[in-house]
Amino acid sequence: MKIAVDAMGGDHAPKAIVLGVLEVSEDYPDVEFQLFGDATQIQPLVQNKSNIQVIHAEEKIEGHDIPVQAVRKKKKASMVLASRAVKEGEADALISAGNTGALLAASLLIIGRMQGIERPALMTTLPTLDEARQGFDFLDIGANAESKPEHLHQYGILGSYYAKNVRNIARPRVALLNNGTEASKGTPVHQKAYERLQNEVGIHFIGNVEARDLLMGVADVVVTDGFTGNAVLKAMEGTALSVMKTLKQSILNEGTKGKLGALLLKPAFQSLKDELDYTDHGGAVLIGVQAPVLKMHGSSQAHTVAQALKQVIHILNSRVIEAYDDVFTYKEEKVQEKADALFEDVVKVQGKSQEK
Amino acid sequence: MKIAVDAMGGDHAPKAIVLGVLEVSEDYPDVEFQLFGDATQIQPLVQNKSNIQVIHAEEKIEGHDIPVQAVRKKKKASMVLASRAVKEGEADALISAGNTGALLAASLLIIGRMQGIERPALMTTLPTLDEARQGFDFLDIGANAESKPEHLHQYGILGSYYAKNVRNIARPRVALLNNGTEASKGTPVHQKAYERLQNEVGIHFIGNVEARDLLMGVADVVVTDGFTGNAVLKAMEGTALSVMKTLKQSILNEGTKGKLGALLLKPAFQSLKDELDYTDHGGAVLIGVQAPVLKMHGSSQAHTVAQALKQVIHILNSRVIEAYDDVFTYKEEKVQEKADALFEDVVKVQGKSQEK
């Protein structure tokens, strides 16, 4: 197993990236970590590790670069070289904390989409606060600003197979995010997506869910367009942070009594903070491309990088990409069969009309 | 000042509605409260109050009724009669805890839109947790599932005048909810809305804001389409509730030490709960119709009804509807002027071409 690591992406690159790799590399001696980036900076940090390879990249893509343009022009950028390694079979997965738009562009233009998938989606696994604490997969959280019903349909399948293969949930409950539970809710896009998901035999669709219930574990996979997904994800993050911050402030305002209370409650606060801590939940997966691509937060420190690497190894071990291939190739065949049947009908009809 | 109250809408109607009116009526002897609904149920609760009038309605609109159909067919429903009273100048404002869709339909079909407004929006004032604690007006939170750039533009104006006139914010900061701060972010609808808001001289547009920052008071008015607004609002509500609930559970799990801590922190918890308590912030305003229309939550109890009534009285006193009339009539005149000028040009050109 080989993982291509863009060592130059993110606020703390290359150091945090390299330290994250070092943290994981000892536990996974059979995995080869390929660090793409400025060798003069990276090599001294790595020294001689048998399962870490440093591949020099002359350029890097910056946070402010225009995605598609950067991927096309900076042919020697660490992200581009790492993507190419995956495309050419030199590596099995790609991981980066760099420019999200550029990572999307590199994945689409270089690695390529999976057969049958029109628009890969960004997906993250969020924690839930119900008793089962099973979390849910949320997609699309921002790869595409707009979605058609067929994209939401595909996200349902992609998410369901991920939940099943990677998270070992036997029969994942797939839901559509909407502004009410009735099938008639939302825009025409939601109504059509509902119908498609409802008719999809390959997944267990449980209908619409509202954003209010997401953290309470109402579904294992929640499908939405990238604009709404991004807004809802940020609203949840922001609210959790604001509530904790305000509570902390209120406690401090209570004087000695409050401080004593806070001291006694420290373990409870810490446990909630841990559960909501996204850095412990790895990164966002770009799902629908031909190899696992993981996007880490730009501010990722070594520990988050290590968690994300473990997530990639776990995804590769789950063989979910192969599972997708089976599903979507099957679907493509079905479409082809239908097209063939239709063609035959047309030929027949034409034949008949010629006979007349 | 006369307020038409739909006494039959909501889970606890008519009792909670009537009790809410009673709570407020003593403090506002000059306001006339018109209770529309089943007189046999309402009259005994009211007894003889000089500023409360009971107007019998034979029918009521139920939560499961299909909105437009219900408004058209149930001509004697409390909500329909109350709307008609506003239309005919018998009342100055409408308030209901009933079927949201039906209230929208009754407002549009009976009361009518303000001149120049294509799509009225539902707006709520949410609390913020920053130091100023000024709150922000959030619209549209669900009147329309889809919005065009011109609708978002109008929401900016409607929200800004509300913040200025009703909430007394001298120069309200108006923002567009988007998935990034750059002008190029979002769908083409967001990009065009940004441009329109940017060019609108009547408001102080500060650009895009992200859902993550809403509770921290980044803007006084936040504009979005009804689908995203609804999802983000519910995500914030759900997250705040889940976080508080989980923290409470974690505290209980800590045993005696936790319980003691919780006891010491009770005032801090209570103060946060009060700040996030939407029942204290009145209802959602349907903005863009010819009179103030207030939608209370279906589960509203007497206290919430009283708060909502105070909000309506405050809105009427602020004369914001008259302010809107000035703005949008002015805009209509400008459009008319342009149309006239264009017409004159056309006439001139045609004249010239005829001269040839």
Side-chain angles (χ1 to χ4, degrees):
Chain A
M1 189 186 291
K2 296 171 186 175
I3 300 173
V5 180
D6 168 15
M8 305 309 282
D11 307 341
H12 309 294
K15 201 176 169 188
I17 312 292
V18 178
L19 292 179
V21 169
L22 284 171
E23 194 179 320
V24 173
S25 62
E26 306 227 331
D27 293 338
Y28 297 89
D30 296 338
V31 178
E32 185 182 304
F33 299 89
Q34 303 171 351
L35 286 166
F36 289 83
D38 182 357
T40 57
Q41 285 185 73
I42 299 169
Q43 198 65 62
L45 293 165
V46 176
Q47 294 164 344
N48 279 327
K49 297 277 176 188
S50 61
N51 61 340
I52 300 180
Q53 206 190 331
V54 178
I55 297 149
H56 182 64
E58 283 174 27
E59 297 174 289
K60 66 171 175 173
I61 291 176
E62 309 281 351
H64 58 259
D65 278 341
I66 299 168
V68 176
Q69 198 175 310
V71 169
R72 289 219 168 107
K73 290 202 173 158
K74 292 185 169 179
K75 290 192 191 303
K76 288 175 179 174
S78 55
M79 191 193 280
V80 172
L81 292 182
S83 305
R84 202 156 304 259
V86 175
K87 175 65 185 174
E88 286 160 7
E90 298 294 320
D92 305 303
L94 168 64
I95 183 164
S96 173
N99 184 321
T100 309
L103 187 62
L104 286 175
S107 301
L108 291 176
L109 299 174
I110 301 170
I111 301 176
R113 291 169 301 182
M114 274 170 37
Q115 198 176 13
I117 296 295
E118 273 180 59
R119 299 276 195 102
L122 267 174
M123 186 184 84
T124 187
T125 305
L126 291 175
T128 49
L129 299 172
D130 58 328
E131 259 181 50
R133 294 288 205 270
Q134 203 166 238
F136 70 98
D137 296 309
F138 193 34
L139 74 166
D140 174 24
I141 57 164
N144 313 288
E146 288 175 288
S147 300
K148 291 183 185 164
E150 52 267 39
H151 303 150
L152 296 172
H153 176 193
Q154 294 177 347
Y155 296 168
I157 301 171
L158 289 167
S160 179
Y161 273 75
Y162 185 90
K164 197 185 284 175
N165 288 272
V166 180
R167 300 208 297 128
N168 298 318
I169 296 172
R171 195 163 172 250
R173 295 161 302 159
V174 179
L176 177 67
L177 183 71
N178 210 330
N179 54 14
T181 49
E182 303 89 336
S184 62
K185 285 285 176 178
T187 66
V189 170
H190 296 101
Q191 291 154 12
K192 281 177 204 150
Y194 186 101
E195 208 185 308
R196 278 173 161 268
L197 288 162
Q198 181 85 312
N199 292 331
E200 171 59 53
V201 291
I203 62 170
H204 174 38
F205 181 62
I206 60 163
N208 291 330
V209 293
E210 295 196 66
R212 180 191 286 134
D213 304 315
L214 294 181
L215 286 184
M216 293 324 285
V218 284
D220 303 305
V221 176
V222 177
V223 164
T224 186
D225 67 277
F227 188 84
T228 310
N230 196 273
V232 164
L233 176 68
K234 284 173 181 165
M236 293 197 291
E237 282 180 6
T239 306
L241 282 174
S242 301
V243 168
M244 303 271 274
K245 197 172 157 187
T246 309
L247 207 53
K248 212 169 163 184
Q249 195 51 52
S250 308
I251 288 168
L252 291 176
N253 291 345
E254 291 296 320
T256 319
K257 207 174 74 174
K259 276 177 200 139
L260 181 61
L263 202 67
L264 291 168
L265 287 185
K266 215 174 167 186
F269 266 88
Q270 193 57 48
S271 104
L272 179 65
K273 222 179 142 205
D274 288 348
E275 291 200 67
L276 290 172
D277 190 355
Y278 294 12
T279 61
D280 243 20
H281 295 267
V285 186
L286 181 65
I287 202 160
V289 283
Q290 290 188 351
V293 174
L294 211 101
K295 168 69 177 82
M296 298 176 286
H297 204 279
S299 64
S300 295
Q301 295 285 7
H303 178 63
T304 312
V305 176
Q307 290 299 116
L309 284 165
K310 284 184 199 165
Q311 192 184 349
V312 167
I313 294 167
H314 186 52
I315 292 172
L316 285 171
N317 281 329
S318 76
R319 308 209 151 273
V320 69
I321 301 285
E322 287 87 334
Y324 285 142
D325 253 3
D326 291 347
V327 189
F328 289 105
T329 309
Y330 169 77
K331 283 197 175 284
E332 287 276 294
E333 277 166 7
K334 282 279 170 200
V335 171
Q336 196 54 49
E337 268 172 33
K338 271 190 199 158
D340 289 348
L342 197 69
F343 181 70
E344 275 169 32
D345 283 349
V346 171
V347 169
K348 272 183 208 158
V349 171
Q350 283 184 335
K352 277 182 189 165
S353 65
Q354 276 173 359
E355 278 168 23
K356 279 177 191 169
Chain B
M1 188 185 292
K2 296 171 186 174
I3 300 173
V5 180
D6 168 14
M8 305 310 281
D11 307 340
H12 309 294
K15 201 177 170 189
I17 312 294
V18 177
L19 292 180
V21 169
L22 285 172
E23 194 180 320
V24 174
S25 62
E26 306 228 330
D27 293 338
Y28 297 90
D30 296 338
V31 178
E32 184 183 305
F33 299 90
Q34 304 171 349
L35 285 166
F36 289 83
D38 182 357
T40 57
Q41 285 184 71
I42 299 170
Q43 198 65 61
L45 293 165
V46 176
Q47 294 164 346
N48 279 327
K49 297 276 175 188
S50 62
N51 61 339
I52 300 181
Q53 207 191 331
V54 178
I55 297 151
H56 183 65
E58 283 174 28
E59 298 175 287
K60 65 172 176 173
I61 291 176
E62 309 280 350
H64 58 259
D65 278 340
I66 298 168
V68 176
Q69 199 176 309
V71 170
R72 289 219 168 109
K73 291 203 173 158
K74 293 186 169 178
K75 291 192 192 304
K76 290 174 178 174
S78 55
M79 191 193 279
V80 172
L81 293 182
S83 305
R84 202 156 305 257
V86 175
K87 175 64 184 176
E88 287 160 9
E90 299 294 319
D92 306 303
L94 167 64
I95 183 164
S96 172
N99 183 321
T100 310
L103 187 62
L104 286 175
S107 302
L108 291 177
L109 299 174
I110 301 170
I111 302 176
R113 291 169 301 182
M114 274 170 36
Q115 197 175 16
I117 296 295
E118 273 181 59
R119 299 275 195 102
L122 267 174
M123 185 183 85
T124 188
T125 306
L126 291 175
T128 49
L129 299 172
D130 58 329
E131 259 181 52
R133 294 286 204 271
Q134 203 166 240
F136 69 98
D137 296 310
F138 193 34
L139 74 166
D140 174 24
I141 58 164
N144 312 289
E146 288 174 289
S147 301
K148 290 183 186 166
E150 51 268 39
H151 303 151
L152 296 172
H153 176 193
Q154 293 177 346
Y155 297 168
I157 301 171
L158 290 167
S160 179
Y161 273 76
Y162 184 91
K164 197 184 284 176
N165 289 272
V166 180
R167 301 207 297 127
N168 298 317
I169 296 172
R171 195 164 173 250
R173 296 161 302 159
V174 179
L176 177 68
L177 183 70
N178 210 330
N179 55 14
T181 49
E182 303 89 336
S184 63
K185 285 284 176 178
T187 66
V189 170
H190 297 101
Q191 291 153 12
K192 281 177 204 150
Y194 186 102
E195 207 184 309
R196 278 174 160 267
L197 288 161
Q198 182 84 313
N199 292 333
E200 172 58 54
V201 291
I203 62 170
H204 174 38
F205 181 61
I206 60 163
N208 291 329
V209 294
E210 296 196 65
R212 181 192 287 134
D213 304 316
L214 294 181
L215 286 184
M216 293 323 286
V218 284
D220 303 306
V221 176
V222 177
V223 164
T224 186
D225 67 277
F227 187 85
T228 310
N230 195 273
V232 164
L233 176 68
K234 285 174 181 164
M236 292 197 292
E237 281 180 6
T239 306
L241 282 174
S242 301
V243 167
M244 303 272 274
K245 198 173 158 186
T246 308
L247 207 53
K248 210 169 164 185
Q249 195 52 52
S250 309
I251 287 168
L252 291 177
N253 291 345
E254 291 296 322
T256 318
K257 207 174 75 174
K259 275 176 201 142
L260 181 60
L263 202 67
L264 292 167
L265 288 184
K266 215 174 167 186
F269 266 87
Q270 193 56 48
S271 105
L272 180 65
K273 224 181 138 203
D274 288 347
E275 290 201 67
L276 290 172
D277 190 356
Y278 295 12
T279 61
D280 243 19
H281 295 268
V285 186
L286 182 63
I287 201 160
V289 282
Q290 289 188 352
V293 174
L294 211 101
K295 168 68 179 83
M296 298 177 286
H297 204 280
S299 64
S300 295
Q301 295 286 7
H303 178 65
T304 313
V305 175
Q307 290 299 115
L309 284 165
K310 283 183 199 165
Q311 193 184 348
V312 168
I313 294 167
H314 185 52
I315 292 172
L316 285 171
N317 280 329
S318 76
R319 309 210 151 270
V320 68
I321 302 285
E322 287 88 334
Y324 286 142
D325 252 3
D326 291 348
V327 188
F328 289 105
T329 309
Y330 170 76
K331 281 196 176 284
E332 287 276 295
E333 277 166 8
K334 281 279 172 202
V335 171
Q336 197 53 48
E337 268 172 34
K338 270 189 201 160
D340 289 347
L342 198 68
F343 181 71
E344 275 169 31
D345 282 350
V346 171
V347 170
K348 273 183 209 160
V349 171
Q350 284 183 336
K352 276 181 190 165
S353 65
Q354 278 173 357
E355 279 168 23
K356 278 177 194 171

